[in-house]
Amino acid sequence: MSVQQPSVADPAPAPAEPGTPERPAARRGSRARLTVRRFARNRLALFGLALLILLFLAAYVGPLLTKWDYKTHDFLNFLAGPSADHWWGTTQGGLDLYALTMRGLQKSLVIGLLVGIISTLLSATVGAFSAYFGGWVDRVLMWIVDLLLVMPAFLIIAVMSPLFRGSSWLVFVALLSAFSWMITGRVVRSMTFTLKDREFVKAAKYMGVPAPVIIFRHILPNMASMLIIDAVIQTGAAVIGESGLSYFGFGVQPPDVSLGTVIADNTNMASTYPWLFFFPAACLVLIGLSIAFIGDGLRDALDPNAAGAKARGKRRKRSRPESAGPARTVAPQPRNEPSTGALAPGTTLKEGVTP
């Protein structure tokens, strides 16, 4: 008769000791959750994010809701007002203003997003490499930055745009990106001067890690909050800049459209037919407001020492006792009186009297 021995279960993992450091992935996850919570407490930032999402949905889903294309002419309705057939009216050539504005909104949003990403990457790369290597690399790159800073970007793009007339609008994106990164590049350079003397950078250097790996893996991630905020701000500035250049005829060229070209084509009739100017201009203003609110919220969420974050923290601390419920009344404690068997200090006994 065989005897079966009970199986021994695997021992449960011992709990981590209090002094055990957290894993980097856990720290990054907790930091991301904290940033999201701070951002979610900012109502203006949430409003800006929702507004920007609605603008993107309107730009790409909105044209599917109407039967008119931005190139289709309605020869029976010239300068018609908003109606059930043409929601935002028609232009002088019979084009549906709603479809035309949605097409321009698509182009402006895409150009702004690409310029914001490209200019931020360019500023981070140039600024970090300039400060890390120093010497002649720093002098040459900063000479290029200073040269681009003193050059009038608007006039240069206006002069160069006829040379690229008929080419892709991506050339216009490259021109805008080339004149949008210099100030951020100087900020990244000054931050890299501080970070390259930190212990983790020196340890990676002594271990033989290549310089580009150190820059992209150890230095730039430590300024990610500033770069994210800069990318958002650059996106808004690029949308406004593109619309301004297109308004003067130096940006997006026909047959393509952007918000700037739609506004420019209808400005001379804005006083008589206000809807021709109001709807595309309102879209441009909403883009600027939404990006400004998002940038402000990201700054407060990623930098808790910002003025806006401190002000909101103080308001929450003031309102916390009020929201904690009605105050409880505590009965006053009786004072400790001396007992009958004890003498008060300073009391003298008379003869024949026992306490």
Side-chain angles (χ1 to χ4, degrees):
M1 180 172 141
S2 61
V3 179
Q4 296 183 354
Q5 296 186 359
S7 59
V8 180
D10 294 335
E17 297 182 0
T20 305
E22 298 182 51
R23 294 181 178 179
R27 287 199 299 268
R28 285 194 296 267
S30 61
R31 178 178 175 82
R33 287 193 295 270
L34 180 61
T35 302
V36 171
R37 285 199 300 268
R38 288 173 181 164
F39 184 84
R41 286 198 293 260
N42 192 327
R43 295 181 180 178
L44 280 179
L46 291 178
F47 173 75
L49 181 61
L51 183 59
L52 188 62
I53 293 174
L54 287 177
L55 287 172
F56 268 100
L57 289 176
Y60 288 94
V61 180
L64 303 177
L65 305 178
T66 180
K67 63 180 180 179
W68 299 101
D69 187 68
Y70 75 99
K71 294 180 180 179
T72 305
H73 295 265
D74 186 2
F75 296 105
L76 300 178
N77 291 286
F78 295 104
L79 295 175
S83 62
D85 194 18
H86 298 280
W87 298 342
W88 291 359
T90 60
T91 64
Q92 190 175 11
L95 295 172
D96 186 75
L97 184 62
Y98 173 78
L100 198 64
T101 304
M102 292 301 104
R103 174 65 180 180
L105 186 60
Q106 288 180 19
K107 192 64 66 177
S108 295
L109 287 173
V110 170
I111 290 176
L113 191 62
L114 289 177
V115 171
I117 295 174
I118 294 173
S119 61
T120 301
L121 291 176
L122 189 60
S123 62
T125 303
V126 173
F129 273 81
S130 174
Y132 185 83
F133 289 103
W136 66 270
V137 176
D138 184 30
R139 288 192 295 271
V140 170
L141 292 178
M142 286 303 103
W143 180 82
I144 296 174
V145 169
D146 294 336
L147 180 63
L148 292 175
L149 281 174
V150 300
M151 293 173 66
F154 187 90
L155 292 178
I156 292 175
I157 295 176
V159 170
M160 296 181 65
S161 60
L163 302 177
F164 303 103
R165 193 178 298 274
S167 57
S168 175
W169 55 271
L170 293 175
V171 177
F172 183 55
V173 171
L175 288 175
L176 281 176
S177 303
F179 292 96
S180 304
W181 60 273
M182 292 82 68
I183 296 178
T184 307
R186 280 195 165 275
V187 175
V188 172
R189 174 177 175 265
S190 63
M191 296 178 69
T192 306
F193 275 126
T194 303
L195 289 173
K196 75 175 186 177
D197 293 329
R198 301 284 295 271
E199 290 79 5
F200 60 91
V201 176
K202 290 183 177 179
K205 190 186 301 184
Y206 293 151
M207 292 173 64
V209 179
V213 177
I214 294 176
I215 291 173
F216 288 106
R217 184 176 295 177
H218 299 289
I219 294 179
L220 291 180
N222 281 278
M223 57 182 82
S225 58
M226 187 273 294
L227 295 176
I228 292 172
I229 297 170
D230 179 74
V232 173
I233 295 174
Q234 290 289 351
T235 300
V239 171
I240 303 298
E242 177 274 327
S243 300
L245 287 167
S246 299
Y247 180 86
F248 290 105
F250 303 123
V252 177
Q253 301 297 325
D256 212 343
V257 294
S258 72
L259 288 179
T261 59
V262 176
I263 295 173
D265 293 340
N266 302 307
T267 301
N268 56 348
M269 294 175 288
S271 58
T272 311
Y273 307 98
W275 62 85
L276 296 177
F277 177 82
F278 173 76
F279 288 113
C283 290
L284 185 61
V285 171
L286 290 177
I287 291 174
L289 283 177
S290 62
I291 293 178
F293 290 155
I294 292 173
D296 187 45
L298 285 174
R299 182 199 63 193
D300 294 344
L302 295 170
D303 184 11
N305 296 319
K310 287 183 177 180
R312 272 186 288 274
K314 290 179 181 178
R315 287 197 296 268
R316 284 195 300 272
K317 287 181 181 179
R318 292 196 200 103
S319 61
R320 191 171 297 163
E322 299 175 1
S323 61
R328 293 181 300 174
T329 57
V330 180
Q333 298 291 334
R335 297 170 58 184
N336 293 329
E337 298 292 343
S339 60
T340 55
L343 292 176
T347 304
T348 57
L349 293 176
K350 295 181 180 181
E351 292 184 5
V353 178
T354 59

